[in-house]
Amino acid sequence: MKARVSTSDRWVQSVCKMCLHGCGIRVHVENGIVTKIEGDPTNPDNLGKLCPKGNIGMLRLYDPKRVKAPMVRTNPKKGPGEDPRWKEISWDEAMELVEKRLKPIRETDPRKLVVASGDFQRIFNWAWPAAFGSPHFFSTVGQYCGAAYHPINGITDTSFAAVNDYEHCKYWLQVGAGDGFSSHLHLSGSAKRMADARMNGMRVVTVEPRMSPAAAKADEWVPIRPGTDRAFALGLMHSMVLEHKLYDAEFLRQRTNAPYLIGSGGTYVLSPEGKAMVWDSVAGKAREWDDPDIAELALEGRYDVDGVACAPGFQLFVDILETHSPERMEEVCTVPAATMRRLAYELGEAARIGETIEIEGKEYPYRPAAVNYYRGAIAHKDGGQDSMALKMVNTLLGNIDVPGGHLGVPLDLRGFFIEPGEHGMLKPQPHILHPPVPFKFPADSLQMMEWFPLGMDAGHVAVDAILNPERYRLDYTPEVLLTYHSNPVWNMPAPDKVRRALEKFEYIISIDVVVNPTTEWADLILPDHTYLESTVAVSLEPPVVKGLALRQAVVPPIYNTRDATEILIDIADRCGFLDVWNGFLSLLLGLTVREDLVLAPDQKYSNEELIDRMCRAAYDDTHDLEWFRANGHMVTKRNAAETYLPYDGLRIPFYYETIKAAGDQLKAQFEGTGYDWDTSAYVALPAWCDGPIHGENPDYPLYAITFKTAETNFAETMSIPVISELTKGAAQTRGVLLNPRTAQRCGVADGDPIEIVSRFGRVEGTAALTEGLHPDVVAVANAITGNGRKLGTHFNTLLPSELEYTDVFSGALESVARVQVRKLVKEGVA
Amino acid sequence: MTRWGMVIDLARCIGCNACTVACKTENGTPPDHYWARVYTEERGTFPNTKITYVPALCNHCQDAPCVTVCPTGASHQRNDGIVLIDRDKCIGCRACMMACPYNNRFFLRKRALKTGYYGERTAYEDAKWKWFIGGTVTKCTFCVHRVDKGLEPACVVTCPTEARVFGDLEDPDSKPSVMIRKRNGKQPLPEMGTNPSVYYVE
Amino acid sequence: MSATNVVVIGRNQFTMGYRRQGEWSWLITTAFFLGNVGAGLFLISYFNGLYLGAGIGLLIVGVGKSTAHLLYLGRPERFLRVIVRWRTSWISRGLIAMGLFLVFGVVYLARYLQASFVPHGVTAGFGVAAAIVAVVVMVYDGFVLKASRGTPLWDTYLMPVLALFYALLGGTTLTLVVEAGLGATRHAQLEWLEIALLALNAVLVGLVIFTAQARQAAVQAAVSLLTRGPLTRLFLGVAVGLGIGGTLALVGVSIATGSVVALAIAAATDLCGHFFVFFSLLRVGLHPPLRPVSEPELAEAVGA
Ligand code: SF4
Ligand code: SF4
Ligand code: SF4
Ligand code: SF4
């Protein structure tokens, strides 16, 4: 057969952006048209594999709904069903309109600009509002997923995310997570690693309300009532610690603060020198934590140190566990006590406490059993405690950051932020997305970030604040909204409130690729390139690799679009803060490592210049943009030293004193303001308490949950017809999932139109019955939230956006709704 | 002689549908045409539920009823076992669709080619759909255009869990042959007497 | 095994279950039906020396059946290609037979059309040939169904037998009508043949239903759609009840009273029944699930 030799037929290496993670891809371009996308086999991250979303990326490029030029609204009336009557204008005109709106705000009160951003691969642009002087966040960043996860990870071991060790784990307890099966970190490569591990005999036990792929492939599925995973973890730990005595006491003594003495205020007992104290059970007295004479650190017992009653943090946790018997937890979470006991035993046995392993010439503890968890388990009203409880199962097993255990994953190229903290501890890093915002009353930011010393931006609070300015003591009125790859009408809870908030803005500017339910409200749309037309170097949450990969313009832009980075630079220039923004960019792109790469304050750089500098700063002058264009990436597997105990010698928290102390400080800061802000969520140890969605509720007997699938997780794929066509027929997404017996009780049959009603909203859907669902549950895939369905079921409509349902420590929102389900009877048809 | 075949590892497959989509983009198949797809099979009652994801594609049957019934010779089998449809010969009688026990054939309505996925054809569809002739039947080609170049089928290459394994069934040492032997590979619906070249292992 | 609970999934539904073939419907039923009754009419008329009947039979096949086929085909302009695969394909064979039937039949009728340039012996010979290929036209669609391994309900020799006897029945019915239309004396044998064929077809249809128990699950599932599913009314009510029962009664009345009206109505009910027997059988053509669905545990009732 004759090989086709033609310059119009080429494969280009790049990076996928159909979700945020950025697997390596190779893109086939024939006669200028992108005709195929495959995984890049040279990239050790995804090893040539590619999930369904990555495969269909070209339809993002060729979507007829793309914004093809800057457009301005000519119909002043906004809202659903109102045709904006878009008029195409030139870029110059568009940027003048932006300048006219933003320059006066920048010069008077920059807080009047509100920004909603969602472009993870250009995460440096998230700092643009701060450079402008706008402190707000009006979108979703973690409230249904990682808000309660990232701070706990960062406080524990400076990681951003975490996942079990695919290579060495032998017993994988998966709680409310999709890792390795359907979603979360780098699905394509993770699925391969998970499958290999399973085939090599790793046992998987999956705890979740719905039989997701993770449960379907598991050796055992443990159905659980939604929002009660912490109860399960506490019951499990009760059995591990008090019944089986299976926990790694040595690890707790030597590598955590579990032996540190805690006083009645919940914080460390300090020596006169200000050092944390421990109890030496041989000497029978308290010593400073680093006293070289310590013979044995006590984990248990109650002591008196110079008249202060105290106990090791571990003892305090034992006290909590005493009251959390598996029987009591069973009543909450429905997992049989016997199952919790058995799993506790299996997990503890599989952890091989005491064993070590040699990897790459170094000996490490070997703990091949771990709990892996994510949003299903922790996106709740007490998410901080949920996250803490599940993390602590791992800490008890001594498996944090050791082979076989639960491993931290850094946010990006910067890796872990390892610095010694106080008292021999690793310095906690709760703020990986942006620096902490100092306390201020009243707050400047709409999401009250000044009042979340450890948490993440809870965008839904911003909505509440715009609608109730007095409640939050706002002393200014927001005027302009800029959405940047963000769709708050769709992605935030209580969309009716979001719409009402949108009505309050005088002007809305959107930077986006396609029109969506939010851009429909915009006054001006500035179209960005798609990922196949633009260039940026990426490294985001890679579980097992490190290094930059280049997402590059595979084809020239097909419409009159501009790179979002350049749009933002242009606005900065027009509004007179280019110098500030260039300073930010120098930091964020890592350019400050070399004097000659730092941006000049008043020069407007092109996106390509920035990326070129970013690459050279990360590596050297040989590895510039041109090199990356030709070679694709610098991704390599992380070695053992980078993966296992990279902070060796520093202790990690068992007792989350940092959180308790932050809460105490916040409480003190509020004193005298006369403002009532709840700080009770700042606890150092988790315990069970009923949240707003727990307990009997005759009006709303069922629990509605949402879930992600491989076709739609972390992505904007739903408007892609291939994906919506496919998800319409797929078992988990063909409708709203109900257990057949539950359906029968509600008088609903498979295929019936139904309505789901919560206290906060009402949605419609089509019933799809499955035996793979807890009978208390209604499960709504994110894939069925609208777009192209006769009965779109927008799950977020069922959710509140009130503080009462928000974890005021982390910013997590209760993402389970109590609902009732009825067969839909169309009324008014005579 | 070569006999191309595939083994699908049901223990590995996570039902992600990457294969489904990769097949769509490799071959540019129009709406409703799912040469590769994944069924969800549910058994048992809560909480003793068992869910299995079962990927499917044309089995390239060695005794292919679709070929036997085809009146035009459009459906034919190559010497290496790959069953193909000659789009220039097919008259769209659809007898083959009745004969295939596995739902692996799809009738392409002329209208579908006009409207495409968005109601208007995109540049991508224009580029891809040169392949297709409305009014004929389509099916999985085992990615013959790749296989003839020494590449593996698109659904195999993309599969994140490596649940689809492609190779020569005549060669006793090929990966699929070994898997079939060691893990007791089973052909789908053996009672149909079609002798599929696709095997499943659990 | 009971087949009351049958999971029938829709087009592009990716759950495991039976799938109804969605391609062969009205037009293919029409083509099969017209082929049956056209060739049947020709044959019965031929034996009765009824040239008009034979001519109408030819027209039904030549115009009706071929139009239905052409309307159905995805690429009708490539129609001639069907003759290529006569070695394996019953469609090929059937349509070759149809072509020959039309040619032989027209030559045979030449005598009747006073085309005296064709010698008598030749036309008689062509008559015999036309009658033989008419039989092929009558039964080949049964073999087409029989060869459709993917729809196990059809994969039985009962299908060609059913096609043959329904074709004979249709032919007889139409011959009676043509004769009545010509005002000719009525053949008692033909009337009794009609009754016998009705009874025989009732038995054959019964066999399709009752032998299902002994066949594949997919057959039982398909039959349950006929007897307890969405097509029950059409199948049991119209195709069997009216088509066989009703026709029997009407033919009886017609024999007893000599009523032409009763005969005409009987013809209508018979043809209607004939059409819907095949329509129903086509519509419940179920493809089996890729992996056998073992019944009640995962079954969900559909239709019914
Ligand atoms: S790509 Fe692989 S794992 Fe995913 S559904 Fe297909 S066969 Fe299964
Ligand atoms: S539809 Fe085409 S391929 Fe199928 S049997 Fe008819 S001619 Fe052959
Ligand atoms: S699977 Fe179907 S289409 Fe493929 S060769 Fe077998 S019978 Fe033919
Ligand atoms: S072998 Fe090729 S044509 Fe067949 S299902 Fe796989 S990707 Fe599609």
Side-chain angles (χ1 to χ4, degrees):
Chain A
M1 192 172 261
K2 222 169 46 190
R4 259 195 296 180
V5 189
S6 156
T7 45
S8 66
D9 180 343
R10 62 206 160 91
W11 285 89
V12 186
Q13 264 176 306
S14 188
V15 164
C16 180
K17 203 244 159 195
M18 293 305 283
C19 82
L20 58 99
H21 285 130
C23 294
I25 53 174
R26 54 199 290 266
V27 183
H28 197 187
V29 185
E30 291 176 282
N31 304 315
I33 305 292
V34 174
T35 53
K36 181 83 194 303
I37 302 174
E38 292 183 2
D40 177 358
T42 73
N43 191 318
D45 178 20
N46 55 310
L47 305 145
K49 317 292 174 202
L50 204 56
C51 83
K53 302 177 296 293
N55 270 292
I56 198 70
M58 65 289 263
L59 287 195
R60 171 58 72 237
L61 175 66
Y62 297 115
D63 190 337
K65 287 202 290 288
R66 275 190 65 184
V67 188
K68 302 179 177 79
M71 303 199 296
V72 67
R73 164 187 293 274
T74 61
N75 177 3
K77 270 179 68 196
K78 296 182 179 181
E82 280 298 336
D83 178 0
R85 283 191 245 124
W86 295 116
K87 190 181 106 199
E88 290 195 2
I89 55 174
S90 75
W91 274 101
D92 279 343
E93 289 170 295
M95 296 313 288
E96 264 156 40
L97 284 174
V98 175
E99 182 179 338
K100 209 176 88 201
R101 289 286 170 174
L102 295 190
K103 200 168 178 195
I105 293 184
R106 160 78 191 166
E107 280 161 4
T108 54
D109 187 350
R111 294 179 301 173
K112 291 183 174 170
L113 170 68
V114 176
V115 182
S117 36
D119 187 356
F120 272 94
Q121 286 194 350
R122 290 181 289 200
I123 203 160
F124 47 85
N125 282 338
W126 287 36
W128 186 89
F132 184 92
S134 159
H136 314 297
F137 190 84
F138 187 80
S139 185
T140 295
V141 61
Q143 56 266 62
Y144 324 107
C145 49
Y149 174 73
H150 304 301
I152 295 289
N153 289 332
I155 293 170
T156 305
D157 63 356
T158 82
S159 59
F160 184 68
V163 71
N164 292 352
D165 187 354
Y166 287 107
E167 208 171 324
H168 296 288
C169 188
K170 291 285 172 216
Y171 189 104
W172 183 302
L173 184 60
Q174 179 106 325
V175 186
D179 288 280
F181 296 101
S182 55
S183 70
H184 207 198
L185 312 175
H186 295 243
L187 175 61
S188 313
S190 297
K192 148 96 174 132
R193 295 184 174 93
M194 173 59 81
D196 286 347
R198 287 194 294 115
M199 300 313 278
N200 285 329
M202 180 175 76
R203 186 171 173 83
V204 179
V205 177
T206 299
V207 181
E208 59 180 14
R210 177 185 71 100
M211 192 169 221
S212 71
K217 303 314 286 185
D219 299 279
E220 181 178 352
W221 173 42
V222 181
I224 187 170
R225 181 180 281 159
T228 64
D229 308 73
R230 179 165 92 257
F232 167 78
L234 288 163
L236 194 76
M237 287 190 281
H238 173 103
S239 182
M240 272 167 66
V241 174
L242 301 175
E243 296 171 357
H244 305 306
K245 309 240 180 300
L246 281 168
Y247 58 94
D248 191 344
E250 256 334 276
F251 180 89
L252 296 178
R253 282 197 183 92
Q254 303 307 336
R255 294 186 184 274
T256 77
N257 68 354
Y260 288 17
L261 294 170
I262 309 296
S264 56
T267 48
Y268 295 142
V269 175
L270 301 179
S271 70
E273 279 70 48
K275 287 188 169 179
M277 305 286 283
V278 293
W279 190 263
D280 184 338
S281 47
V282 174
K285 64 170 188 177
R287 291 182 191 269
E288 291 182 335
W289 68 271
D290 56 352
D291 188 332
D293 297 333
I294 296 171
E296 181 164 281
L297 290 167
L299 283 177
E300 295 178 62
R302 264 168 257 279
Y303 307 101
D304 186 302
V305 179
D306 301 331
V308 178
C310 57
F314 184 77
Q315 175 64 49
L316 299 181
F317 191 51
V318 168
D319 295 346
I320 290 174
L321 291 182
E322 301 273 6
T323 64
H324 289 73
S325 68
E327 280 72 17
R328 185 185 152 216
M329 295 299 98
E330 172 178 349
E331 273 171 38
V332 177
C333 71
T334 74
V335 176
T339 306
M340 281 185 248
R341 291 204 163 88
R342 176 171 53 78
L343 295 178
Y345 183 77
E346 287 177 10
L347 194 60
E349 281 290 300
R352 306 198 180 194
I353 293 163
E355 289 188 23
T356 59
I357 187 173
E358 197 187 294
I359 300 174
E360 293 171 16
K362 200 175 162 211
E363 185 154 295
Y364 296 97
Y366 177 50
R367 298 286 172 280
V371 177
N372 189 72
Y373 59 95
Y374 190 48
R375 66 156 298 272
I378 56 156
H380 302 296
K381 159 72 183 162
D382 287 303
Q385 288 192 61
D386 296 333
S387 189
M388 200 189 282
L390 288 153
K391 185 70 99 186
M392 286 176 75
V393 180
N394 289 324
T395 314
L396 280 172
L397 293 169
N399 75 18
I400 305 279
D401 299 314
V402 306
H406 194 57
L407 310 180
V409 172
L411 172 64
D412 52 27
L413 197 66
R414 292 170 298 166
F416 300 109
F417 301 90
I418 298 167
E419 294 168 57
E422 290 179 287
H423 314 302
M425 303 280 292
L426 177 61
K427 186 174 174 213
Q429 304 283 358
H431 300 284
I432 289 173
L433 284 181
H434 59 68
V437 183
F439 180 81
K440 185 162 183 270
F441 185 88
D444 283 332
S445 72
L446 291 166
Q447 74 279 23
M448 309 296 133
M449 203 51 209
E450 293 86 344
W451 307 347
F452 283 87
L454 300 176
M456 289 177 73
D457 299 82
H460 61 280
V461 175
V463 177
D464 210 37
I466 289 174
L467 296 178
N468 305 289
E470 334 68 49
R471 192 200 291 171
Y472 294 88
R473 311 277 173 92
L474 290 196
D475 53 4
Y476 61 95
T477 310
E479 283 172 10
V480 176
L481 175 68
L482 173 68
T483 70
Y484 165 40
H485 282 240
S486 176
N487 182 0
V489 169
W490 180 81
N491 72 21
M492 292 238 257
D496 280 342
K497 287 172 69 176
V498 179
R499 283 189 206 101
R500 271 191 285 132
L502 290 183
E503 283 168 10
K504 306 247 176 208
F505 287 101
E506 285 170 17
Y507 204 71
I508 300 177
I509 304 165
S510 288
I511 302 176
D512 220 317
V513 168
V514 288
V515 277
N516 63 40
T518 305
T519 55
E520 280 169 14
W521 289 75
D523 295 276
L524 177 66
I525 308 185
L526 307 174
D528 187 9
H529 303 326
T530 62
Y531 78 104
L532 294 168
E533 304 161 306
S534 63
T535 299
V536 64
V538 184
S539 166
L540 265 177
E541 293 189 299
V544 298
V545 299
K546 59 168 188 193
L548 283 179
L550 187 73
R551 159 181 144 190
Q552 62 175 316
V554 168
V555 289
I558 55 179
Y559 297 119
N560 183 15
T561 55
R562 276 181 73 185
D563 190 283
T565 302
E566 291 181 8
I567 298 176
L568 292 173
I569 290 175
D570 198 2
I571 302 179
D573 185 32
R574 285 169 184 264
C575 296
F577 65 101
L578 183 63
D579 50 342
V580 186
W581 182 225
N582 276 351
F584 272 59
L585 281 175
S586 292
L587 268 174
L588 294 160
L589 300 175
L591 310 185
T592 47
V593 294
R594 262 172 59 183
E595 198 70 31
D596 62 323
L597 294 179
V598 171
L599 306 180
D602 47 6
Q603 194 179 326
K604 260 173 88 180
Y605 293 90
S606 72
N607 176 61
E608 300 198 344
E609 281 174 79
L610 295 179
I611 304 307
D612 179 58
R613 285 176 189 234
M614 183 182 180
C615 295
R616 286 156 62 203
Y619 300 98
D620 48 42
D621 284 338
T622 342
H623 295 90
D624 59 358
L625 181 57
E626 275 322 304
W627 185 92
F628 272 92
R629 278 201 175 119
N631 297 282
H633 65 85
M634 276 290 282
V635 178
T636 53
K637 202 161 166 273
R638 284 211 305 271
N639 63 24
E642 291 161 321
T643 308
Y644 303 123
L645 295 171
Y647 46 81
D648 204 5
L650 297 170
R651 290 171 185 262
I652 59 168
F654 173 82
Y655 182 87
Y656 285 85
E657 204 249 7
T658 313
I659 299 176
K660 174 70 178 133
D664 290 349
Q665 193 190 2
L666 184 63
K667 196 168 171 191
Q669 285 161 330
F670 268 106
E671 240 145 60
T673 62
Y675 194 80
D676 187 21
W677 183 257
D678 180 16
T679 57
S680 62
Y682 291 82
V683 293
L685 290 170
W688 180 254
C689 52
D690 275 352
I693 56 142
H694 299 117
E696 290 288 309
N697 188 339
D699 292 336
Y700 302 103
L702 300 174
Y703 297 75
I705 61 167
T706 184
F707 62 90
K708 305 168 186 171
T709 66
E711 299 90 338
T712 52
N713 75 80
F714 283 114
E716 23 178 286
T717 38
M718 257 133 35
S719 60
I720 292 185
V722 170
I723 297 287
S724 49
E725 178 188 30
L726 168 61
T727 54
K728 267 181 228 167
Q732 14 174 16
T733 46
R734 67 196 173 97
V736 174
L737 303 182
L738 281 171
N739 183 294
R741 270 156 299 283
T742 316
Q744 201 176 24
R745 270 206 318 279
C746 303
V748 169
D750 194 83
D752 277 353
I754 55 172
E755 59 178 342
I756 311 169
V757 186
S758 79
R759 250 186 69 200
F760 307 99
R762 176 188 167 281
V763 293
E764 298 181 355
T766 310
L769 307 192
T770 170
E771 294 286 351
L773 190 68
H774 194 293
D776 289 354
V777 178
V778 183
V780 184
N782 64 347
I784 68 172
T785 53
N787 276 319
R789 294 219 171 213
K790 215 162 48 198
L791 286 177
T793 313
H794 187 257
F795 179 82
N796 293 357
T797 300
L798 298 170
L799 294 178
S801 64
E802 276 77 10
L803 272 174
E804 194 197 341
Y805 287 80
T806 304
D807 181 7
V808 287
F809 148 60
S810 68
L813 176 72
E814 181 52 68
S815 65
V816 170
R818 291 302 292 269
V819 297
Q820 55 169 293
V821 168
R822 286 191 295 256
K823 186 163 168 173
L824 186 65
V825 191
K826 285 269 180 237
E827 280 162 39
V829 186
Chain B
M1 202 182 326
T2 312
R3 176 183 166 198
W4 294 118
M6 194 184 287
V7 179
I8 296 177
D9 189 338
L10 297 180
R12 279 182 173 264
C13 173
I14 53 172
C16 72
N17 274 314
C19 50
T20 312
V21 179
C23 177
K24 288 205 82 66
T25 58
E26 176 71 35
N27 300 295
T29 52
D32 283 347
H33 286 233
Y34 283 94
W35 296 356
R37 63 205 174 279
V38 185
Y39 294 106
T40 301
E41 177 192 273
E42 187 178 307
R43 291 172 191 271
T45 47
F46 177 90
N48 301 312
T49 316
K50 171 119 186 71
I51 287 177
T52 313
Y53 306 107
V54 187
L57 74 167
C58 171
N59 294 299
H60 299 275
C61 305
Q62 294 312 288
D63 182 1
C66 57
V67 172
T68 319
V69 301
C70 175
T72 62
S75 282
H76 62 283
Q77 183 155 38
R78 305 203 316 179
N79 288 338
D80 57 9
I82 298 183
V83 174
L84 295 173
I85 302 169
D86 183 338
R87 63 182 187 279
D88 293 322
K89 287 187 184 161
C90 173
I91 54 169
C93 69
R94 288 161 262 182
C96 50
M97 295 177 73
M98 305 301 132
C100 170
Y102 310 95
N103 291 300
N104 277 327
R105 291 178 162 247
F106 304 84
F107 181 63
L108 180 53
R109 289 182 164 68
K110 289 176 187 150
R111 184 171 20 93
L113 284 183
K114 283 210 194 78
T115 51
Y117 261 108
Y118 287 94
E120 54 184 286
R121 276 173 69 152
T122 60
Y124 161 77
E125 286 157 333
D126 283 343
K128 282 291 197 181
W129 287 2
K130 293 182 195 125
W131 268 90
F132 293 104
I133 296 186
T136 64
V137 167
T138 77
K139 71 178 260 304
C140 154
T141 63
F142 244 3
C143 281
V144 71
H145 59 291
R146 294 177 63 104
V147 172
D148 285 347
K149 277 189 233 155
L151 299 171
E152 293 194 306
C155 55
V156 172
V157 168
T158 204
C159 174
T161 67
E162 295 175 352
R164 291 173 174 243
V165 180
F166 183 79
D168 180 6
L169 299 184
E170 290 282 295
D171 172 4
D173 300 323
S174 72
K175 245 180 119 183
S177 298
V178 173
M179 273 174 90
I180 293 167
R181 219 167 38 241
K182 288 214 172 127
R183 293 177 60 191
N184 186 21
K186 292 204 177 78
Q187 292 165 310
L189 302 180
E191 66 274 22
M192 293 292 170
T194 50
N195 191 9
S197 304
V198 174
Y199 287 72
Y200 291 85
V201 296
E202 303 223 30
Chain C
M1 180 189 112
S2 122
T4 16
N5 294 335
V6 180
V7 186
V8 178
I9 55 173
R11 211 179 134 78
N12 290 349
Q13 285 270 293
F14 304 113
T15 42
M16 201 58 91
Y18 296 99
R19 187 187 302 253
R20 255 159 82 167
Q21 70 85 5
E23 296 294 340
W24 282 3
S25 186
W26 295 102
L27 279 172
I28 289 290
T29 311
T30 305
F32 283 2
F33 169 77
L34 294 178
N36 280 176
V37 299
L41 173 59
F42 180 91
L43 193 74
I44 304 290
S45 299
Y46 170 80
F47 284 124
N48 288 284
L50 191 66
Y51 287 100
L52 182 60
I56 295 174
L58 271 179
L59 270 181
I60 290 175
V61 174
V63 178
K65 178 175 169 67
S66 49
T67 306
H69 277 305
L70 288 174
L71 283 177
Y72 180 72
L73 288 187
R75 308 263 12 150
E77 75 279 11
R78 300 175 179 172
F79 180 76
L80 275 180
R81 287 191 176 278
V82 295
I83 57 174
V84 178
R85 281 298 158 106
W86 54 271
R87 276 197 203 84
T88 59
S89 163
W90 272 101
I91 294 194
S92 241
R93 292 169 191 161
L95 295 181
I96 291 169
M98 176 173 134
L100 295 176
F101 170 61
L102 293 176
V103 174
F104 296 164
V106 168
V107 179
Y108 161 64
L109 284 185
R111 186 171 60 171
Y112 175 69
L113 296 173
Q114 316 290 321
S116 47
F117 55 86
V118 187
H120 183 80
V122 173
T123 56
F126 273 92
V128 175
I132 291 169
V133 285
V135 175
V136 180
V137 175
M138 285 154 69
V139 297
Y140 90 93
D141 49 358
F143 282 105
V144 168
L145 292 176
K146 159 76 185 108
S148 298
R149 250 191 271 172
T151 30
L153 172 69
W154 308 339
D155 186 1
T156 160
Y157 284 106
L158 280 171
M159 289 299 145
V161 176
L162 199 65
L164 176 68
F165 286 102
Y166 258 105
L168 287 172
L169 173 64
T172 310
T173 308
L174 284 179
T175 309
L176 282 169
V177 171
V178 173
E179 283 190 336
L182 290 175
T185 39
R186 293 168 63 171
H187 287 76
Q189 307 101 295
L190 264 190
E191 285 167 342
W192 287 109
L193 178 64
E194 172 90 3
I195 287 178
L197 284 169
L198 279 166
L200 187 62
N201 281 338
V203 172
L204 288 173
V205 170
L207 275 176
V208 171
I209 301 300
F210 294 114
T211 53
Q213 292 303 320
R215 297 173 62 204
Q216 288 183 34
V219 180
Q220 300 170 31
V223 163
S224 81
L225 294 183
L226 286 178
T227 56
R228 277 166 295 177
L231 280 162
T232 305
R233 256 186 241 166
L234 189 67
F235 180 70
L236 290 183
V238 178
V240 179
L242 187 69
I244 297 181
T247 311
L248 265 176
L250 285 161
V251 173
V253 170
S254 167
I255 291 175
T257 63
S259 159
V260 179
V261 178
L263 181 70
I265 303 175
T269 56
D270 171 58
L271 295 180
C272 176
H274 181 166
F275 185 90
F276 284 110
V277 162
F278 283 89
F279 180 75
S280 310
L281 289 173
L282 284 185
R283 294 297 287 162
V284 299
L286 286 189
H287 300 305
L290 186 59
R291 303 215 302 173
V293 190
S294 71
E295 22 44 282
E297 44 168 26
L298 67 149
E300 266 161 52
V302 281

